Amino acid sequence: MESGPAVFAGAVFVLFGAALLIWTAARARHGAPVALGVRPAPAITLATLSGVVFLVLGVWCFGRI
């Protein structure tokens, strides 16, 4: 009964983290800004770190099932 919310939260975290990492990689590869008004290196670093954190949270949620 309680595994439903964990599956939903895990799926949301994993999908968002993966999408953020793919989007960041695509923007960085084309030389497009990741965040407007921010230097590229900190923006790429923060976006990548956030994507990894969301992926880890999703895996943790799936591990709680």
Side-chain angles (χ1 to χ4, degrees), residues 3 11 40 42 45 47 55 60:
S3 65
T45 303
L55 281 176
W60 180 78

Side-chain angles (χ1 to χ4, degrees), residues 2 10 13 19 23-25 31 34 37 42 48 53 61 63-64:
E2 295 168 356
F13 282 137
W23 180 81
T24 302
V34 174
T48 302
V53 166
C61 286
R64 303 291 296 171

Side-chain angles (χ1 to χ4, degrees), residues 30-61:
H30 288 98
V34 174
L36 293 176
V38 181
R39 291 180 297 161
I44 291 170
T45 303
L46 184 60
T48 302
L49 182 64
S50 298
V52 169
V53 166
F54 279 110
L55 281 176
V56 169
L57 279 172
V59 170
W60 180 78
C61 286

Side-chain angles (χ1 to χ4, degrees), residues 2-19:
E2 295 168 356
S3 65
V7 170
F8 177 75
V12 169
F13 282 137
V14 167
L15 287 174
F16 181 73

